[in-house]
Amino acid sequence: MIETVIIQIFVEIINIFISIPFGLVSITFGSIIYVPTGAKLGKYILIFGLIVLTLNVYLV
Protein backbone atom coordinates (compact mmCIF):
# COMPACT_ATOMS: atom_id res chain seq x y z
CA MET A 1 0.00 0.00 0.00
CA ILE A 2 2.62 2.54 1.05
CA GLU A 3 4.94 1.41 -1.72
CA THR A 4 2.38 2.24 -4.39
CA VAL A 5 1.87 5.71 -2.95
CA ILE A 6 5.61 6.38 -2.88
CA ILE A 7 6.03 5.06 -6.41
CA GLN A 8 3.10 7.19 -7.63
CA ILE A 9 4.62 10.32 -6.06
CA PHE A 10 7.99 9.50 -7.65
CA VAL A 11 6.36 9.00 -11.06
CA GLU A 12 4.54 12.35 -10.81
CA ILE A 13 7.77 14.14 -9.92
CA ILE A 14 9.52 12.56 -12.91
CA ASN A 15 6.61 13.57 -15.16
CA ILE A 16 6.96 17.17 -14.02
CA PHE A 17 10.71 17.17 -14.71
CA ILE A 18 10.22 15.72 -18.20
CA SER A 19 7.43 18.09 -19.18
CA ILE A 20 7.70 20.65 -21.97
CA PRO A 21 6.88 23.69 -19.76
CA PHE A 22 9.62 22.75 -17.29
CA GLY A 23 12.14 22.43 -20.12
CA LEU A 24 11.12 25.77 -21.59
CA VAL A 25 11.36 27.51 -18.22
CA SER A 26 14.81 26.00 -17.71
CA ILE A 27 15.95 27.24 -21.12
CA THR A 28 14.54 30.70 -20.40
CA PHE A 29 16.21 31.02 -16.99
CA GLY A 30 19.45 29.60 -18.35
CA SER A 31 19.44 32.15 -21.16
CA ILE A 32 18.69 35.01 -18.78
CA ILE A 33 21.58 34.01 -16.52
CA TYR A 34 24.12 32.84 -19.11
CA VAL A 35 23.93 35.41 -21.90
CA PRO A 36 24.64 38.66 -20.01
CA THR A 37 26.95 37.23 -17.33
CA GLY A 38 28.50 34.12 -18.85
CA ALA A 39 27.97 32.21 -15.59
CA LYS A 40 28.44 28.47 -15.66
CA LEU A 41 25.21 27.93 -13.72
CA GLY A 42 23.23 29.51 -16.56
CA LYS A 43 24.98 27.29 -19.08
CA TYR A 44 24.16 24.18 -17.07
CA ILE A 45 20.52 25.19 -16.64
CA LEU A 46 20.31 25.85 -20.38
CA ILE A 47 21.79 22.45 -21.21
CA PHE A 48 19.46 20.79 -18.69
CA GLY A 49 16.46 22.40 -20.38
CA LEU A 50 17.60 21.15 -23.77
CA ILE A 51 18.06 17.65 -22.39
CA VAL A 52 14.55 17.73 -20.89
CA LEU A 53 13.05 18.74 -24.23
CA THR A 54 15.04 16.06 -26.03
CA LEU A 55 13.89 13.40 -23.56
CA ASN A 56 10.33 14.57 -23.96
CA VAL A 57 10.51 14.10 -27.74
CA TYR A 58 11.81 10.54 -27.37
CA LEU A 59 9.62 9.44 -24.44
CA VAL A 60 6.29 10.87 -25.57
Side-chain angles (χ1 to χ4, degrees):
M1 177 75 176
I2 192 89
E3 294 89 12
T4 58
V5 172
I6 292 172
I7 290 173
Q8 186 65 29
I9 291 171
F10 184 70
V11 167
E12 291 300 323
I13 290 171
I14 295 295
N15 284 336
I16 290 171
F17 280 120
I18 302 180
S19 66
I20 291 176
F22 185 76
L24 294 176
V25 167
S26 296
I27 290 173
T28 303
F29 282 144
S31 297
I32 289 171
I33 294 171
Y34 180 63
V35 173
T37 63
K40 287 186 179 182
L41 178 66
K43 180 171 65 174
Y44 295 141
I45 293 173
L46 185 64
I47 291 171
F48 178 72
L50 291 172
I51 290 172
V52 166
L53 288 179
T54 304
L55 285 176
N56 193 1
V57 168
Y58 288 120
L59 294 178
V60 174

